[in-house]
Amino acid sequence: MTLVQGTPRAVTVAGFPLPAWAFALRIWVAMVVALYAAFWLQLESAASAAVTVAILALQTRGQVYQKAIYWLLATISGIVASFVIAGLFPQDRVFFLVGFAGWLGVCIYAGGLLDGNRAFGAILPSYTVAQVAVAQIDSPQGIFAAGVNRGAAIVVGIAALALVTELFVAPNLHRGLSGKLSTAQQRVRAFALAILRGAGADPIQSAHLLREITALHPDITALIAESTGERARGAAAASAAVALVAEVGAARSLASLPAGTAPALRRPLAEALAGAPGTETHALQLRLQQHAGSGYGDPHGAIFARHALDLLLENQRAQDAIEDLRAGRYPARDIHAPIYRSHRAAARNGLRAFLAVLISEILLSLAGWPFASEGLALLALIVALSANTPNPRAFPVNAAIAVPIAALLAGVMQFLILDGVDQFPLLAIGIAPVVLVTALLLTVPNPRLVSISFLVLIFFLVIFSPTNPQVYNPETFLFTSCMAIAAVILVFVLLQAVLPTSEALQRRWYLTSARAEMRDLLAGGRSRSLGDAALFRDADRIGQLAALQPAGDDERRDDLHLALDIFACAAAARRARTALADLATSTGGHVAESGYAALAAGDPLDLRRAADDLASAAARLDDDARAAARAASQRLIWAAFLIDANPFGLGRRQSARS
Amino acid sequence: MTHSFPELTIGGVLVAPFVIYAGGAVAIFALLRPFFRLVAVDRAFSNPPIAGLCLYVLILALLIVLF
């Protein structure tokens, strides 16, 4: 969570810039308004309203609204699920608890297939069931009232936060996002310029560039929630992100060609990329098109020209889309930016959460402690939050640090600072230091500190649990704190011990799936998307692979190298299929058949032969079809070149054929 | 003259009249949105979200007064 870009950074108070203070004040005011409204409406679970504000504590309007919508939907589905689970097992606690653990597993599986606030929305129904149904396990007749109360408190919390966000003019998401996209574009351009000067394409740098672009996906989806007309901005941002990914791909393709290819084209291309006037770019595009269309004597030069043309076009597309994003216009190309999610990893995480909660339930029932159901609800909250975090491995450690701090702060607040008072203004002033400091820390660039502050803020409110009138019962506080700490220790141990997914295993999954999809794409078995949207999905997979903890530097480099080669080969196969489809449309189909067959075989020799056939067939065709045949021929040669450079396990088929 | 409020009962659960007004105002606001986009209301205000909020409150108040 970083500060919104484009805001003045000069003025700082106590080391934090003014926008950070504005954010912290907004959260505190929203929390106070939410608590006041919930007390005034005499809601039983008024603390839920404050917890809602804490959970939705994000810096921009779009993010707040998107998360609020998902939080509301999650609550409604969670309340319905509570009724269903309680109704299915009315007299049977064992099945009830197994049902709850199963529901949690299903929610975490669903969350594993999404990203950002959407994943959060998929996971949170499990927490609602814990709060509504599990907390009422001894009195199931109270589940309906508890559900309605909780739902009402959450609506109050969301309404308060929305009101404060609007009135205090929270920053818009699209400003920061266009800044981030511009920065990414500059970096991609610098990467391409370095390649044109003769530098190699470092796999780690390339993967980090792709990761930087695909990491913007949650923000892009959040844009739509911001306000009227943001659908256009969302489409523009998605279009820019997809163009940037394609630009990285084109630059890497240039780097894969021999270093001395087309020396005459490199300099004008670098100048055009660096920002020469538009007319020269247009002239260069025409020159590249001519070069790509007539280069049978020098196939590498023709392929270079084709990739250089792609690079220029994608750079221009990204630039236009970023300008559309700033202006709030629809982009020229409306494209979807899908993400890659592994069903296998999501299913394993879901199963892990199911087992962890089941074991905790058994341990807590055997221990026979008071407040065990509350402990279970807290445990479900930690497991649910742990599934929706950028770094799931570090989360239990952060929680183990944050929960004792939150318990301590809640104790100090309750028994030293407030100590028996029941006036609302004193409560509002009392919680201010904790809320302001934790909200300020949410704006720092250190992800670990952000995660800990977020948990401290939530658990402070959960343990302190403001009610009207405030209850000052040391026993309740002690049991709740002990349960929270016991729950966090249980989660810490269980998540490490039950079905741990090692980074090496995840790495293997990513590479296996990439390879399998590429083979499928070559064979044309299933109708996979051939557009740039599929390219973005592949880039997202590389981004996730790059985000894993480094094993050894060499091993990591090798893995990323292989993943990027597969990415390039899949892109080449997609382009070849598109070019063959164009050719088939203009000639009637029979000319492209040998190309399709060669792609399905995945054999470089066959591909080159098919490319030669197409080149000789081109002479007999009319102008349009000739251009399509040449393009298809070059795309096939490029695919053959990439498969030659790295056979990706296709070699077995080649040796069997030869 | 006493103002009578509409009552809504779903499955035996009485829903507060305010919820009906608030929901109705959301529906009317959602219906008006395409029109606002068409006439570019956003450009008339320095902070369009606050203008939107004010409009919502106006619609809500109008509903409460009229029905």
Side-chain angles (χ1 to χ4, degrees):
Chain A
M1 222 181 282
T2 51
L3 265 179
V4 179
Q5 291 182 16
T7 47
R9 295 177 60 196
V11 187
T12 59
V13 179
F16 289 96
L18 283 183
W21 279 100
F23 165 68
L25 276 173
R26 279 201 304 276
I27 297 303
W28 176 68
V29 172
M31 207 170 274
V32 170
V33 171
L35 275 176
Y36 188 84
F39 288 160
W40 178 61
L41 292 169
Q42 301 184 352
L43 297 178
E44 273 175 33
S45 50
S48 290
V51 174
T52 298
V53 175
I55 285 181
L56 303 180
L58 293 166
Q59 295 180 65
T60 57
R61 291 177 51 242
Q63 288 168 319
V64 168
Y65 291 154
Q66 193 200 25
K67 203 170 185 181
I69 292 165
Y70 285 119
W71 178 222
L72 197 61
L73 293 177
T75 305
I76 293 168
S77 56
I79 291 172
V80 173
S82 303
F83 298 157
V84 172
I85 294 173
L88 282 177
F89 314 110
Q91 298 296 326
D92 198 328
R93 281 186 182 199
V94 175
F95 282 108
F96 177 85
L97 289 173
V98 173
F100 164 64
W103 172 248
L104 194 130
V106 168
C107 289
I108 287 181
Y109 167 71
L113 300 178
L114 302 163
D115 71 337
N117 291 332
R118 293 190 296 174
F120 169 85
I123 290 167
L124 261 284
S126 59
Y127 170 55
T128 308
V129 173
Q131 282 282 302
V132 172
V134 178
Q136 302 285 332
I137 192 166
D138 295 324
S139 51
Q141 71 279 8
I143 287 179
F144 184 79
V148 171
N149 258 314
R150 187 174 153 73
I154 283 168
V155 170
V156 166
I158 290 174
L161 187 61
L163 186 76
V164 170
T165 305
E166 294 290 276
L167 290 183
F168 281 54
V169 197
N172 283 320
L173 177 60
H174 68 83
R175 298 229 171 92
L177 186 59
S178 62
K180 285 180 196 166
L181 280 168
S182 286
T183 315
Q185 194 199 12
Q186 279 161 15
R187 260 181 235 184
V188 173
R189 220 181 268 164
F191 174 71
L193 286 173
I195 285 172
L196 287 173
R197 280 196 297 270
D202 178 41
I204 293 183
Q205 193 195 358
S206 317
H208 279 162
L209 266 179
L210 291 176
R211 187 184 165 201
E212 186 183 336
I213 302 162
T214 53
L216 298 175
H217 184 265
D219 284 356
I220 294 172
T221 56
L223 258 185
I224 295 165
E226 202 153 80
S227 69
T228 330
E230 298 298 351
R231 198 170 286 277
R233 285 207 167 98
S239 174
V242 172
L244 285 176
V245 164
E247 200 179 336
V248 175
R252 276 192 62 83
S253 302
L254 292 181
S256 308
L257 285 163
T261 314
L265 290 176
R266 286 178 185 251
R267 207 187 141 126
L269 181 61
E271 279 169 6
L273 266 185
T279 47
E280 284 183 31
T281 312
H282 191 66
L284 179 65
Q285 280 182 6
L286 284 176
R287 190 174 154 200
L288 287 171
Q289 263 163 357
Q290 280 171 355
H291 204 92
S294 62
Y296 286 120
D298 174 19
H300 281 163
I303 290 172
F304 182 94
R306 212 162 273 285
H307 289 311
L309 200 56
D310 286 346
L311 181 70
L312 269 186
L313 284 177
E314 297 300 348
N315 184 50
Q316 192 57 45
R317 260 186 197 156
Q319 183 65 39
D320 292 348
I322 292 171
E323 276 162 23
D324 289 337
L325 168 64
R326 290 206 177 107
R329 285 190 303 257
Y330 270 99
R333 162 179 84 151
D334 194 1
I335 194 164
H336 184 53
I339 51 165
Y340 170 76
R341 283 294 178 263
S342 159
H343 282 270
R344 202 192 285 188
R348 193 175 166 115
N349 273 343
L351 185 64
R352 193 161 75 122
F354 169 73
L355 290 175
V357 172
L358 205 62
I359 295 169
S360 316
E361 282 167 350
I362 294 168
L363 291 177
L364 284 172
S365 357
L366 287 179
W369 290 332
F371 289 79
S373 62
E374 199 165 323
L376 199 55
L378 289 169
L379 188 129
L381 175 62
I382 300 169
V383 171
L385 289 175
S386 78
N388 182 30
T389 160
N391 187 357
R393 190 165 281 267
F395 185 86
V397 183
N398 294 346
I401 297 169
V403 172
I405 296 175
L408 186 71
L409 287 172
V412 168
M413 175 67 54
Q414 219 167 346
F415 301 105
L416 294 180
I417 297 176
L418 294 178
D419 197 21
V421 300
D422 56 359
Q423 287 96 332
F424 186 77
L426 291 178
L427 171 73
I429 296 167
I431 62 168
V434 177
V435 175
L436 287 177
V437 170
T438 47
L440 279 174
L441 290 177
L442 287 178
T443 65
V444 298
N446 180 345
R448 180 163 197 183
L449 199 54
V450 169
S451 171
I452 292 176
S453 330
F454 180 62
L455 289 168
V456 168
L457 182 58
I458 291 177
F459 279 92
F460 165 73
L461 292 164
V462 168
I463 297 171
F464 175 50
S465 189
T467 48
N468 185 28
Q470 185 66 39
V471 180
Y472 291 95
N473 184 350
E475 199 185 41
T476 313
F477 165 74
L478 206 64
F479 278 128
T480 313
S481 312
C482 289
M483 269 302 153
I485 293 168
V488 84
I489 292 170
L490 258 178
V491 171
F492 182 79
V493 174
L494 288 173
L495 287 186
Q496 306 277 343
V498 181
L499 287 178
T501 314
S502 70
E503 309 266 327
L505 187 64
Q506 287 183 51
R507 225 173 258 137
R508 209 171 65 221
W509 283 349
Y510 284 128
L511 291 175
T512 312
S513 80
R515 214 177 275 137
E517 277 178 24
M518 190 197 61
R519 278 200 201 122
D520 187 44
L521 189 65
L522 283 173
R526 274 177 282 163
S527 58
R528 289 209 175 272
S529 160
L530 295 177
D532 282 349
L535 195 71
F536 188 87
R537 184 172 171 277
D538 285 359
D540 187 45
R541 175 166 38 211
I542 294 176
Q544 290 176 38
L545 185 64
L548 293 177
Q549 295 292 318
D553 210 27
D554 286 343
E555 196 183 332
R556 183 165 186 243
R557 187 177 286 271
D558 289 348
D559 282 346
L560 288 177
H561 203 291
L562 181 59
L564 284 160
D565 281 351
I566 297 174
F567 170 75
C569 193
R574 255 182 240 119
R575 297 243 156 144
R577 282 199 168 271
T578 316
L580 286 172
D582 288 347
L583 178 64
T585 331
S586 52
T587 60
H590 60 281
V591 186
E593 269 166 21
S594 62
Y596 280 125
L599 268 181
D603 179 0
L605 273 178
D606 278 1
L607 285 167
R608 288 210 166 87
R609 209 170 294 135
D612 285 345
D613 291 350
L614 281 180
S616 49
R620 299 190 297 272
L621 299 170
D622 61 56
D623 279 354
D624 281 352
R626 193 180 303 141
R630 281 178 180 165
S633 162
Q634 282 162 6
R635 297 293 184 196
L636 288 177
I637 293 175
W638 177 240
F641 178 84
L642 288 175
I643 295 175
D644 256 344
N646 191 342
F648 314 111
L650 296 167
R652 192 164 39 84
R653 205 183 301 172
Q654 288 169 36
S655 57
R657 289 165 60 88
S658 56
Chain B
M1 195 178 84
T2 333
H3 190 322
S4 65
F5 292 100
E7 281 184 359
L8 178 67
T9 317
I10 301 170
V13 181
L14 188 67
V15 177
F18 182 76
V19 175
I20 304 161
Y21 287 127
V26 167
I28 294 173
F29 190 73
L31 285 176
L32 286 175
R33 264 174 64 129
F35 173 70
F36 293 146
R37 207 174 305 150
L38 201 69
V39 296
V41 169
D42 287 17
R43 281 186 223 148
F45 298 95
S46 70
N47 193 325
I50 294 188
L53 177 70
C54 296
L55 188 75
Y56 175 77
V57 173
L58 281 176
I59 297 171
L60 182 64
L62 210 63
L63 283 184
I64 294 174
V65 171
L66 292 181
F67 301 101

